[in-house]
Amino acid sequence: MARDTVETHFLEAVAALKAGPARDPALPVRDGTTMTGRQCLTLFQRQLDSRLLDIAARWLREQDEGFYTIGSAGHEGNAAVAAALRPGDPALLHYRSGAFYLTRSEQAGRLPEQGIRDVLKGLAAASDEPIAGGRHKVFGHPELAVIPQTSTIASHLPRAVGVAFAIERARALGVRSAWPDDAIAVCSFGDASANHASALSGFNTASYATYQGQPLPLLFVCEDNGIGISVRTPKGWVEAAARRPGIEYFSADGCDLVAAYDAAVRAAEHVRTHRAPAFLHLATVRLMGHAGSDVEVAYRTQREIRADLERDPLVRGATLLVEAGLVTPDELLKTYESTREHILRTALETTRSPRLASAAEIMQPIAPRDPELVARISPTAGEPAAREKTFAGKLPETEKAMTLAESINRTLADALLVYPEMMVFGEDVAKKGGVYGVTRGLQKRFGLARVFDTLLDEQAILGLALGAGVSDLLPVPEIQYLAYLHNALDQIRGEAASLSFFSRGAYRNGMVVRVAGYAYQKGFGGHFHNDNSVTALRDIPGLVIASPARPDDAAAMLRTCLAAARAEGSVCVYMEPIALYHTRDLFEDGDGGWLAPYAPPTRWRETHVPIGRARSYGDGRDLTIVTFGNGVRMSLRAAVRLTQEGYSCRVLDLRWLAPLPVDDLLQAAELTGKVLIADETRHTGGVSEGIVAELLDAGFTGQIARVTSSDSFIPLGRAADHVLLSEEEIEQAARKLLG
């Protein structure tokens, strides 16, 4: 539907209206509502502003000065939802939420002009736009509790559940949150998005939590226009799908401002009073198509398009105001024309705003680093008396040398003492202590509120972490196996890692995602439990990937990740090699060479590993073996055998897979002039490809070779040995390189 058709229809419809008897604007605008005439006038103006911003978006695009035309036309009833909430209620908004945003902006005490300029600068990709700074057109503002969302689907719903969860959990823990204690979270989405897996995860998690008595103050708002681009939503489907245990259902005609407001007030009051979720279903229409390039007549009949036009919420709002005697048709038409002229003039001004001018400027907010602050925070320890109590009088530094799993366990306990806002959660992490016992005993020491089990849904687990992180808590979720992470990877890629980028650092969701991973589990196969692929993680901008191999590194690197998440808002994936969890020996049975004493947090040099710094073993000058994870143990064993044959080798444990320790890598490579990369991930798309690229990009002129696992899934039993990198392959490749 062309914008001129929508505008013409509005103007003609308003001109034909007949004014009703004058009504006091302080009184309800009509019988049976609490909305006053004055409120209705204000909300209608915000709806009008939103509509004309959609007109401006298309005009800017025609001038090649605007870059986003998915608009809010037909959805302006969401202004009523904003009016039913408080300015401090965190909001995660659908991309058709223009009227909500403008209403929230005014609620917060800003001039209407400020909200209008925010949106226009986003449309024009202006670098001084207040949230994304020209990186995308999003609704967001740190002063309005509007968390920016770039999703065109419902991938923000698991985070919304996490935000609601965090509001209540922060209060239970007695720690500060980003939101008021009595706040409720709100998330909006379309009817088509309600079918997405991430939406279903959000609904199910909310229902699951409520079923168990967990407070969850969350308002789901589905703006149902009956169509997703060109695919129709069956009538009645949203209502049928929305009715779930523990989630109260409310509905209204979203094209009727008063009806939408009354329903939103009831829904918000239910959520705020009962601290329980509600589903607000608003029937809307979509005007002017999906976006500026969308030709509706290709898949909709003229009759259908006209039917939507007849339900235009702006026309219905104008009719309400005129019939209530609050304005005359002439006054409305003059307001429309003056507002239109002002918004288009302001749009023209925004085309002269600065634009992003360099890669460095664009990338600046991706992963802001403050290594000095991280270094100061990471050695922090709990009070001595608290540590004595937590460890039952037996401090971990007085215990015998530890395995990797034991070291991680003690480090988590020490960190839970340091960070009262920290939570450890995931499948089986509580009473059982995880599949491999890594979190054993933590719930008993720190309680159900801080160490708890979740439902079996990786999107839900990461959604809780996303919501907790943006709420100023410190989440440490566990993903039970590496392959399980791929079930919900977009929660890391599209939600966690992108938040700082699309908010210029105003919103961050620091977290440490613990992942049990890699292969070499004897007799254990299947791509879900014995996986060696990290490729999908390594290309996510700003993501930190820690890969400790030894117990002492595991403790120090975990503390670094926690400090980075807390101080910088870093999103860290902490890869734990399952096959090394309980390994004790290095060269011979009983030598204890893979054990290490626990260094308490107060020993700075032993408890802090800067992000992107490798660890070198040996001082050989003939060959550098570059490796990580399980490869460290295999390479050290191979290096000893090579040394016995007269070769001089050193082993470089990368420790960090993102960012790669390039400086340490180059230094180790130059010392020998020959580099063998021992990579337990796959030949194609594995870590070794990135290492080779870094060496070549830096101008390394020495010899490079690599050995990897095969491009295969991992089978059961000893068959796995045929596709996984082995010590023998490392030795053979080393001898070949050494000549």
Side-chain angles (χ1 to χ4, degrees), residues 228-249:
I229 306 184
S230 68
V231 179
R232 289 169 173 78
T233 298
K235 289 187 181 300
W237 169 248
V238 171
E239 179 178 355
R243 295 188 179 278
R244 295 167 181 265
I247 302 179
E248 198 73 14
Y249 176 79

Side-chain angles (χ1 to χ4, degrees), residues 157 161 164 185 187 189 194 198-222 238-251 266-267 270-271 274-281:
L157 267 64
V161 174
C187 63
F189 48 95
S198 53
L200 301 179
S201 174
F203 301 148
N204 184 68
T205 307
S207 182
Y208 185 91
T210 307
Y211 187 80
Q212 296 190 108
Q214 167 69 50
L216 199 79
L218 174 60
L219 178 60
F220 293 109
V221 181
C222 180
V238 171
E239 179 178 355
R243 295 188 179 278
R244 295 167 181 265
I247 302 179
E248 198 73 14
Y249 176 79
F250 299 84
S251 65
R266 293 194 305 272
H270 172 85
V271 176
H274 297 282
R275 315 307 289 172
F279 190 107
L280 176 59
H281 181 197

Side-chain angles (χ1 to χ4, degrees), residues 14-29:
V14 171
L17 294 174
K18 303 297 182 184
R23 183 188 292 253
D24 183 348
L27 295 175
V29 68

Side-chain angles (χ1 to χ4, degrees), residues 75 94-96 151-157 188-200 203 221-234 237-239 241 279 281-282 284 286 290:
H75 285 244
H94 188 224
Y95 53 24
R96 301 196 190 277
S151 169
T152 58
I153 49 171
S155 61
H156 60 299
L157 267 64
S188 57
F189 48 95
D191 50 290
S193 295
N195 298 303
H196 197 270
S198 53
L200 301 179
F203 301 148
V221 181
C222 180
E223 298 175 25
D224 180 3
N225 62 30
I227 194 167
I229 306 184
S230 68
V231 179
R232 289 169 173 78
T233 298
W237 169 248
V238 171
E239 179 178 355
F279 190 107
H281 181 197
L282 296 178
T284 66
R286 189 186 73 187
H290 174 71

Side-chain angles (χ1 to χ4, degrees), residues 708-729:
T708 71
S709 294
S710 301
D711 289 343
S712 172
F713 300 110
I714 299 168
L716 278 173
R718 293 182 179 177
D721 296 340
H722 297 298
V723 297
L724 292 176
L725 174 68
S726 67
E727 289 180 30
E728 291 73 20
E729 288 174 308

Side-chain angles (χ1 to χ4, degrees), residues 370-380 559-560 563-564 567-568 601 604 607-610:
D370 191 341
E372 292 184 3
L373 180 58
V374 171
R376 288 200 304 271
I377 292 176
S378 60
T380 305
R559 292 189 184 112
T560 298
E568 304 170 341
W604 184 85
T607 61
H608 173 63
V609 175

Side-chain angles (χ1 to χ4, degrees), residues 555-566:
M557 293 170 69
L558 181 53
R559 292 189 184 112
T560 298
C561 287
L562 290 166
R566 181 75 285 183

Side-chain angles (χ1 to χ4, degrees), residues 563-588:
R566 181 75 285 183
E568 304 170 341
S570 295
V571 179
C572 304
V573 173
Y574 184 82
M575 293 287 302
E576 301 172 7
I578 297 171
L580 297 178
Y581 268 149
H582 306 297
T583 297
R584 306 179 66 84
D585 305 322
L586 176 54
F587 300 116
E588 299 176 355

